[in-house]
Amino acid sequence: MAKMQEPRHHRSFSITRLIRYGWVALSLLLVACHVDMYDQPRYEPYEYSAFFADGRSSRPPIPNTVAVGQFQDDPHFLTGMIDDQFATTLPFPLTADVMERGRQQYNAFCMSCHGLVGDGDGLIAQRGPLVVTSFHSERLRNVEVGYIFDVITNGLGRMYSHAARIPPEDRWAITAYVRALQLSQDATLDDLSPEERERLVGTESEEQ
Amino acid sequence: MAQIFKPNANAIIRVSIITGILLIIGIILTMVAIYRSTYYTEVGVAKAQSVPFSHKHHVSELKIDCRYCHATVERAAFAGIPTTDTCMSCHSQIWLNSPLLETVRESYRTGEPVQWSRIYDLPDFVYFNHSIHVNKGVGCNVCHGQVDQMQLVSQAQPLYMGWCLDCHRNPEQYVRPREEVFNMEWAPPENQLEMGRRLVQEYEIKVENLSDCYICHR
């Protein structure tokens, strides 16, 4: 009898101990199961939402919505028009910074089709069956700057509107840069100052 | 009274202790290995997308600027995912009948957005703003790698906090001139440190605050 009781006593002892200290091992297993700080109950931009029928958490704004503090009451600045006529001036002073900004934005948004200097021979235009307008025609050299701004804003022909991607001040900077490209491609030697001409001739002779 | 411990008890205890220690070391090593593995970090693991868009083709071969599609990267926290309108500004003209683009055309017809799989997903307790990095001279490829060489995009960095801090503590090792930010081929020049120190001053990068907790955890 004693022999039979002994192992039973031993077993119950270890089970009690297991129950008593088991939670230590169990709590170790529960570590790192919580991700609620990693994934908090808020939406990230464009995150999928099961709440809205179309799955969009970023709700499309009602047409003509203006964000708080972003109302601009300047048709010249926003549309390139003054009294239904294309504006002939920029809505702000032209500086070297504006021109540099225009160059960067032109190279980001326009160069692919219109080419580095506006010949209409960008890499996309070279590949596809597209005919891209060159800026260096008599007609386009003489249009108002407001017209160029309007084309960027609303698109023209096969060119889509770029208003959603380029804010108005950058569209004006691009407009200024397009004008500069037109001047540069239509320039003659007489347009250069003596110093500039010397520099140009100098580099040419060095290259030769 | 019978003996509680049998003669082999010592051996059992020794084996248990050694096994226990080895088990703990093993668990720690396995966790570290998982934490550093691409299974956890997803570095270099390309994700399938509903449109098999090739960055390599559009960036490297067509030379389209990052900002053409990620248009808000210079002025917002989020770099921006292109609208279907952006895709269609070219694809209403070229590859008109490509079956690969059917998802895009359908989205344009119906107004339902194209669903993309997110590649870079920071934990929600980390605040990150693209515009401040781009405007202070941190190039795209510092974090996103050679996107211009990726067909399907994958993560290039594991996004560990130590990795973030490495640059926040020594920005002069990483900053570049602003006009080179979108240049995917840009590599640090030999005089990076000298140029970096000058740029940190010029761009008014506040190094003394840059590794404060609140900069990223707010």
Side-chain angles (χ1 to χ4, degrees), chain B:
Chain B
M1 187 182 152
Q3 280 197 331
I4 297 174
F5 296 108
K6 290 179 177 162
N8 63 357
N10 276 352
I12 290 173
I13 290 294
R14 275 195 203 104
V15 169
S16 314
I17 290 173
I18 292 166
T19 318
I21 290 171
L22 287 179
L23 202 69
I24 289 166
I25 293 173
I27 288 172
I28 292 171
L29 285 180
T30 314
M31 283 169 77
V32 170
I34 291 173
Y35 184 66
R36 299 184 71 95
S37 71
T38 54
Y39 168 78
Y40 182 81
T41 63
E42 296 184 345
V43 170
V45 181
K47 275 188 194 170
Q49 302 284 359
S50 53
V51 182
F53 177 86
S54 166
H55 273 82
K56 182 177 177 170
H57 175 62
H58 288 84
V59 181
S60 174
E61 289 159 22
L62 299 180
K63 303 283 179 214
I64 297 176
D65 194 279
C66 310
R67 288 166 287 183
Y68 189 84
C69 302
H70 306 291
T72 55
V73 72
E74 288 183 297
R75 51 200 154 93
F78 190 57
I81 299 295
T83 59
T84 304
D85 203 71
T86 303
C87 308
M88 290 300 280
S89 39
C90 288
H91 290 295
S92 60
Q93 311 292 331
I94 46 181
W95 295 103
L96 289 180
N97 300 312
S98 167
L100 298 176
L101 287 165
E102 183 47 36
T103 313
V104 177
R105 288 192 296 269
E106 191 195 333
S107 161
Y108 196 67
R109 278 197 302 271
T110 60
E112 294 292 316
V114 176
Q115 288 195 29
W116 300 96
S117 293
R118 204 184 168 97
I119 306 289
Y120 277 72
D121 193 9
L122 278 172
D124 285 1
F125 50 77
V126 180
Y127 172 81
F128 179 82
N129 189 316
H130 271 94
S131 66
I132 190 72
H133 288 85
V134 167
N135 287 312
K136 299 284 180 185
V138 180
C140 305
N141 62 2
V142 172
C143 307
H144 293 288
Q146 294 304 116
V147 176
D148 59 328
Q149 300 302 323
M150 298 177 191
Q151 297 282 9
L152 281 176
V153 169
S154 58
Q155 213 171 300
Q157 295 290 346
L159 308 179
Y160 295 135
M161 182 171 149
W163 172 78
C164 299
L165 276 175
D166 183 39
C167 185
H168 273 223
R169 285 179 179 141
N170 312 295
E172 69 278 1
Q173 293 178 10
Y174 298 93
V175 290
R176 62 179 76 171
R178 277 189 192 122
E179 54 271 23
E180 300 293 345
V181 163
F182 300 97
N183 178 359
M184 294 310 281
E185 273 126 47
W186 201 87
E190 277 178 28
N191 65 341
Q192 170 66 42
L193 269 184
E194 182 195 326
M195 183 193 70
R197 287 199 192 100
R198 182 171 54 76
L199 290 177
V200 165
Q201 290 232 315
E202 196 182 315
Y203 296 163
E204 296 173 356
I205 299 173
K206 299 189 180 75
V207 186
E208 63 277 16
N209 296 338
L210 221 49
S211 47
D212 287 351
C213 309
Y214 76 92
I215 291 286
C216 309
H217 304 291
R218 41 175 95 177

Side-chain angles (χ1 to χ4, degrees), chain A residues 11-207:
Chain A
R11 195 180 297 141
S12 66
F13 172 71
S14 62
I15 286 171
T16 323
R17 184 179 272 190
L18 191 72
I19 290 166
R20 200 176 290 162
Y21 297 110
W23 64 270
V24 177
L26 208 66
S27 62
L28 277 175
L29 282 174
L30 287 174
V31 164
C33 282
H34 283 263
V35 291
D36 25 343
M37 285 294 280
Y38 283 79
D39 201 6
Q40 294 166 19
R42 61 170 165 82
Y43 288 122
E44 287 169 35
Y46 296 169
E47 190 173 332
Y48 176 79
S49 163
F51 181 78
F52 296 102
D54 62 1
R56 276 185 265 196
S57 64
S58 306
R59 305 306 302 155
I62 298 159
N64 303 320
T65 303
V66 178
V68 173
Q70 291 189 2
F71 179 65
Q72 290 268 5
D73 191 18
D74 185 357
H76 183 187
F77 178 73
L78 287 179
T79 64
M81 312 274 262
I82 301 173
D83 299 331
D84 287 340
Q85 297 285 315
F86 286 122
T88 52
T89 54
L90 297 186
F92 46 77
L94 178 61
T95 62
D97 284 345
V98 170
M99 196 56 92
E100 174 56 22
R101 179 73 185 159
R103 189 183 66 83
Q104 288 175 13
Q105 295 289 294
Y106 176 88
N107 289 346
F109 290 101
C110 318
M111 186 188 73
S112 302
C113 289
H114 286 286
L116 259 177
V117 294
D119 283 332
D121 66 344
L123 276 173
I124 308 276
Q126 284 177 27
R127 293 170 67 96
L130 291 171
V131 177
V132 177
T133 308
S134 163
F135 301 144
H136 311 300
S137 64
E138 196 58 35
R139 179 180 75 87
L140 287 180
R141 272 197 290 269
N142 292 315
V143 293
E144 305 86 347
V145 282
Y147 174 83
I148 302 174
F149 180 88
D150 179 69
V151 171
I152 305 172
T153 307
N154 297 315
L156 182 71
R158 292 195 279 195
M159 176 177 154
Y160 277 29
S161 159
H162 284 64
R165 273 177 285 160
I166 316 175
E169 57 270 31
D170 285 346
R171 272 178 262 150
W172 278 113
I174 293 173
T175 304
Y177 185 67
V178 167
R179 224 344 75 100
L181 285 178
Q182 289 177 327
L183 289 172
S184 78
Q185 297 304 300
D186 193 35
T188 61
L189 215 52
D190 298 333
D191 295 331
L192 299 178
S193 66
E195 297 89 46
E196 286 169 332
R197 201 182 307 181
E198 196 175 310
R199 220 172 62 206
L200 192 71
V201 173
T203 49
E204 262 184 12
S205 59
E206 271 170 32
E207 275 168 15

